[in-house]
């Protein structure tokens, strides 16, 4: 089978063996926003055409490719949902030369009844847990970080936090960014930001302290981004991890270290899993699909 995790800005394709092992992988910057209207069949052929030519006949897609802006919109499946429900709700996609199916995203509601949605992360969640029947709390860092609760092998609910996008906006388009010269990284400044998030006053008040600490010489320009990152991630972790817990971190890149440290400072334990969790999740869903 060919598995494709197709997001907004990039796509990852995997060629999988019958047992789900990754035989080959490739990544491109050809996210859905780069595909012209009506161009998805050609984009898929460009991405995996050689694998199709070598005999692959099944393709399973996940991510924003199933959104309103993607190839074909796949209706959200309501939580709680597990692998069987996802496999039973895949959407056929017309494509010459292969059988293509699209995994739907998931929807839920928070405690106040406000809707939550995800596309693609549900596949990574099941891949990270590798099909094990267990209750778990998972965090998927990113522009829109997801915290996911799994109960009895099904996604019971989740929350989304715009932490990454907020950091990009604040550091790039507000007065706070004018005092920043270094990257966000784990260290004393990041930890100070996480600690500040536990104080009274709220996030909007705490944010201005990033500027005043710099003005009064108590926060060096090269440390300001780290402090701001710690502040934002600290508020997120405090809201999502209401008590110390084991958290499965799913993803890759510098954010993994930042989130792992913040979770530890809040009394939790972070464990990281397979960076190819999406491939594993798609394989598990593919096993359950009635392809014909």
């Amino acid at each position: 089978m060919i598995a494709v995790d197709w997001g907004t800005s990039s796509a990852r394709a995997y060629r999988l063996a019958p047992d789900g092992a990754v035989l080959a992988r490739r990544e491109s910057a050809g996210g859905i926003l780069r595909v012209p209207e009506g161009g998805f069949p050609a984009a898929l052929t460009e991405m995996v055409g050689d694998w199709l030519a070598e005999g692959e006949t099944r393709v399973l897609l996940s991510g924003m490719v199933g959104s309103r802006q993607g190839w074909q919109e796949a209706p959200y499946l309501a939580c709680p949902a597990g692998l069987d429900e996802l496999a039973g709700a895949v959407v056929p996609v017309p494509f010459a030369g292969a059988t293509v199916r699209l995994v739907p995203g998931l929807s839920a509601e928070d405690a106040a009844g406000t809707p939550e949605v995800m596309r693609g992360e549900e596949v990574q969640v099941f891949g990270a847990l590798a099909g094990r029947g267990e209750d778990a709390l998972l965090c998927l860092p990113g522009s829109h970080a997801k915290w996911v609760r799994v109960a009895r092998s099904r996604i019971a609910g989740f929350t989304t936090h715009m932490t990454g996008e907020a950091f990009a906006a604040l550091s790039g388009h507000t007065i706070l960014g004018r005092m920043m010269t270094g990257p966000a990284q784990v260290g004393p400044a990041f930890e100070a930001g996480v600690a500040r998030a536990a104080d009274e006053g709220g996030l909007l008040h705490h944010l201005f302290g990033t500027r005043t600490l710099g003005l009064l010489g108590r926060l060096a320009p090269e440390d300001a981004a780290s402090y701001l990152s710690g502040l934002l991630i600290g508020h997120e972790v405090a809201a999502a991890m209401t008590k110390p817990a084991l958290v499965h971190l799913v993803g890759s890149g510098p954010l993994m270290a930042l989130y792992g440290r913040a979770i530890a400072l809040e009394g939790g334990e972070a464990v990281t899993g397979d960076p190819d969790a999406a491939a594993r999740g798609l394989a598990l869903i593919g096993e359950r699909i009635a392809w014909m």
Side-chain angles (χ1 to χ4, degrees):
M1 181 182 91
I2 296 172
V4 183
D5 177 23
W6 206 336
T8 302
S9 58
S10 65
R12 291 183 180 181
Y14 304 88
R15 190 174 186 180
L16 305 180
D19 64 357
V22 176
L23 300 174
R25 61 171 62 79
R26 57 184 56 155
E27 184 170 1
S28 78
I32 67 162
L33 296 182
R34 293 178 176 266
V35 179
E37 185 175 355
F40 281 96
L44 180 63
T45 300
E46 181 179 357
M47 196 185 311
V48 300
D50 55 334
W51 295 345
L52 294 172
E54 291 169 4
E56 297 293 351
T57 60
R58 297 173 176 177
V59 181
L60 187 58
L61 310 174
S62 66
M64 290 299 288
V65 67
S67 70
R68 196 165 300 173
Q69 295 76 35
W71 190 341
Q72 180 171 317
E73 186 173 9
Y76 290 109
L77 186 65
C79 289
L83 288 166
D84 290 338
E85 287 87 355
L86 285 169
V90 294
V91 175
V93 177
F95 181 77
T99 302
V100 179
R101 297 289 183 266
L102 180 60
V103 179
L106 295 182
S107 65
E109 292 185 351
D110 68 10
T114 301
E116 287 278 359
V117 294
M118 67 163 63
R119 286 196 187 275
E121 292 93 349
E122 70 288 339
V123 168
Q124 296 178 59
V125 164
F126 289 116
L129 296 178
R132 297 189 299 270
E134 62 182 48
D135 296 352
L137 176 65
L138 300 93
C139 174
L140 296 86
S143 296
H144 300 166
K146 303 284 187 183
W147 287 74
V148 183
R149 292 181 294 105
V150 174
R152 298 181 179 179
S153 302
R154 304 167 83 200
I155 294 179
F158 55 93
T159 58
T160 307
H161 304 256
M162 292 180 62
T163 307
E165 190 166 356
F167 176 84
L170 289 165
S171 60
H173 302 284
T174 73
I175 198 169
L176 300 182
R178 298 182 183 182
M179 306 182 72
M180 296 179 182
T181 61
Q185 55 191 357
V186 174
F190 177 82
E191 295 179 0
V194 174
R196 176 60 171 155
D199 294 340
E200 295 182 356
L203 175 59
L204 295 178
H205 169 58
H206 293 167
L207 287 172
F208 193 67
T210 307
R211 173 168 169 76
T212 54
L213 288 168
L215 285 173
L216 298 182
R218 294 165 57 183
L219 182 64
E222 60 268 25
D223 292 330
S226 297
Y227 179 85
L228 175 63
S229 178
L231 190 59
L232 292 169
I233 294 175
H235 273 278
E236 176 190 326
V237 172
M241 188 182 71
T242 55
K243 60 182 180 180
L246 176 68
V247 180
H248 297 263
L249 278 178
V250 183
S252 59
L255 280 177
M256 298 288 280
L258 295 173
Y259 272 79
R261 184 58 182 149
I263 289 167
L265 290 170
E266 293 289 336
E269 179 185 356
V271 294
T272 58
D274 186 353
D276 288 330
R280 176 61 177 160
L282 285 166
L284 291 168
I285 295 170
E287 292 173 357
R288 292 164 167 79
I289 293 176
W291 284 93
M292 302 305 295

